[in-house]
């Protein structure tokens, strides 16, 4: 072996050793977790539950920051442009990682090139609800009322271009109905208007609305998964309610800036998976209507790519665009 080759191998070994030592020491300061939606929503609740579990078991410090806006683009872009040192991550989800790249004509980041998948956390169907005083008891009644007077029913959802927005568009096309869309900046204001009766319908993730459902302030009409939700066993699916094969779910997963060291990603992924395997966290997320997933960074990266391809034709067929 030549001297230069021996030197190169020695240098490579030192770099690997240094990287491993860095990963073992990580983290040495608080980890910033960006939630690209307002506090109180499903993404926010999941991010806080998972990081609190890791903080309790490992002693790590997390600082959760809500950076809502532009369908989650503002928060995710902040992470994409942060130092790739493992100290700034985000809990992204289907809309800002797989839908927005088609929905928006100009994106500030590339979901594949500018971000590093860290770990998938959970997925959840959406649920269509009405206020507790609403006259509508079933999805069939909602459909009949809309067909009788197109555009008369208002549909609330949080943010243009989110999974809820496009699922609403997809449902209307599939069911042959016409709602008046009312986008909100967050779950709180939308919930208030639905509960008060100012808006007839609301479509959002189960984790976002299950608290209001359990207190009786909202009445669930249907869920968007192909099977019923364990925590809402009495609520039929949209497919059961007459729209054959209808399905739409949203998933949640942590991402970091592109270029984040693999050793750091591996450490984060391992702790996320350990947290998700704990019975108490599983119950907390299940109680919020989420199905715990977990898995490798590679598997999460594959999901992002496959859903980019899956949602693109749906966005185009809907005619929805945002700038």
């Amino acid at each position: 072996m030549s001297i230069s080759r021996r030197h190169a191998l020695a240098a490579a070994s030192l770099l690997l050793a240094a990287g491993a030592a860095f990963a073992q020491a990580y983290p040495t300061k608080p980890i910033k977790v960006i939630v690209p939606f307002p506090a109180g929503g499903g993404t926010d609740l999941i991010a806080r539950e998972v990081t609190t579990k890791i903080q309790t078991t490992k002693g790590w410090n997390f600082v959760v920051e809500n950076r809502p806006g532009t369908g989650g683009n503002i928060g995710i872009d902040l992470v994409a442009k942060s130092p790739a040192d493992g100290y700034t991550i985000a809990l992204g989800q289907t809309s800002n990682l797989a839908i927005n790249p088609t929905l928006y004509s100009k994106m500030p980041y590339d979901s594949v090139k500018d971000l590093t998948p860290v770990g998938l956390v959970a997925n959840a169907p959406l649920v269509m609800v009405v206020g507790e005083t609403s006259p509508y008891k079933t999805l069939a009644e909602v459909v009949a009322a809309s067909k009788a007077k197109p555009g008369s029913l208002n549909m609330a959802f949080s943010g243009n271009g989110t999974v809820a927005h496009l699922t609403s568009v997809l449902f209307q096309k599939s069911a042959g109905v016409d709602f008046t869309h009312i986008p909100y900046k967050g779950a709180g204001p939308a919930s208030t208007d639905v509960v008060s009766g100012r808006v007839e319908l609301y479509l959002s993730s189960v984790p976002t609305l299950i608290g209001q459902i359990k207190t009786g302030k909202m009445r669930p009409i249907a869920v968007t998964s192909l099977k019923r939700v364990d925590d809402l066993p009495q609520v039929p699916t949209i497919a059961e309610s007459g729209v054959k094969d209808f399905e739409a779910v949203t998933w949640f997963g942590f991402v970091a800036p592109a270029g984040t060291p693999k050793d750091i990603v591996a450490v984060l992924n391992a702790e996320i998976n350990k947290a998700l395997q704990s019975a108490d966290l599983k119950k907390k997320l299940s109680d919020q209507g989420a199905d715990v997933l977990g898995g490798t960074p590679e598997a999460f990266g594959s999901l992002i790519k496959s859903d980019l391809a899956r949602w693109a034709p749906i966005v185009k067929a809907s005619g929805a665009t945002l700038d």
Side-chain angles (χ1 to χ4, degrees):
M1 184 183 296
S2 68
I3 293 177
S4 60
R5 180 167 174 75
R6 282 200 302 270
H7 286 169
L9 289 173
S13 297
L14 287 173
L15 286 173
L16 287 173
F22 179 58
Q24 289 174 0
Y26 173 87
T28 59
K29 61 182 181 179
I31 300 170
K32 184 185 295 184
V33 181
I34 301 298
V35 175
F37 294 105
T43 307
D44 181 67
L45 291 171
I46 291 173
R48 292 178 188 275
E49 291 289 3
V50 174
T51 55
T52 296
K53 181 63 179 179
I54 298 174
Q55 188 163 304
T56 301
T57 57
K58 292 290 292 182
W60 293 6
N61 290 319
F62 292 93
V63 178
V64 178
E65 291 187 9
N66 297 90
R67 294 295 187 94
T70 323
N73 286 355
I74 290 176
I76 298 298
D77 184 48
L78 175 63
V79 173
K81 292 178 171 56
S82 294
D85 56 8
Y87 288 100
T88 303
I89 62 176
L91 185 66
Q93 42 97 282
T94 312
S95 65
N96 43 61
L97 296 179
I99 291 175
N100 288 2
T102 303
L103 189 70
Y104 287 81
S105 60
K106 294 181 180 179
M107 283 288 288
Y109 58 88
D110 185 301
S111 297
V112 176
K113 296 179 180 178
D114 297 334
L115 297 165
T116 296
V118 174
L120 189 61
V121 173
N123 68 16
L126 288 80
V127 59
M128 189 183 298
V129 300
V130 296
E132 59 182 330
T133 60
S134 170
Y136 306 116
K137 302 293 194 299
T138 66
L139 185 63
E141 292 177 354
V142 170
V143 169
S146 181
K147 287 186 175 180
K149 194 174 181 181
S152 61
L153 299 185
N154 295 326
M155 166 69 79
F157 53 85
S158 299
N160 280 318
T162 59
V163 177
H165 175 199
L166 291 179
T167 298
S168 174
V169 172
L170 183 61
F171 171 75
Q172 290 175 77
K173 288 182 176 293
S174 301
V177 296
D178 181 21
F179 300 143
T180 296
H181 276 175
I182 302 182
Y184 285 78
K185 290 184 178 180
S191 296
T192 298
D193 282 358
V194 173
V195 170
S196 69
R198 285 192 289 271
V199 176
E200 288 86 2
L201 303 166
Y202 187 16
L203 185 67
S204 191
S205 68
V206 172
T208 299
L209 301 182
I210 197 165
Q212 302 267 34
I213 291 171
K214 288 183 174 180
T215 60
K217 292 182 178 180
M218 291 182 179
R219 181 187 307 136
I221 297 296
V223 294
T224 62
S225 50
L226 283 177
K227 66 176 185 177
R228 294 195 181 194
V229 176
D230 290 343
D231 225 36
L232 298 171
Q234 78 284 8
V235 182
T237 67
I238 288 178
E240 286 179 298
S241 302
V243 184
K244 187 178 179 181
D245 297 328
F246 189 93
E247 180 186 26
V249 299
T250 186
W251 42 254
F252 309 84
F254 287 102
V255 293
T260 301
K262 290 184 178 180
D263 289 335
I264 298 300
V265 172
V267 170
L268 282 166
N269 177 266
E271 295 307 324
I272 290 167
N273 279 313
K274 285 179 186 177
L276 294 175
Q277 290 166 9
S278 64
D280 58 336
L281 181 58
K282 279 185 177 181
K283 185 179 186 308
K284 285 181 180 179
L285 295 184
S286 177
D287 287 346
Q288 297 295 332
D291 292 325
V292 171
L293 298 174
T296 66
E298 292 76 18
F300 184 27
S302 295
L303 175 63
I304 293 172
K305 291 177 182 177
S306 65
D307 262 23
L308 279 164
R310 175 179 180 255
W311 282 102
I314 296 175
V315 174
K316 292 175 181 177
S318 74
T321 58
L322 292 172
D323 293 311

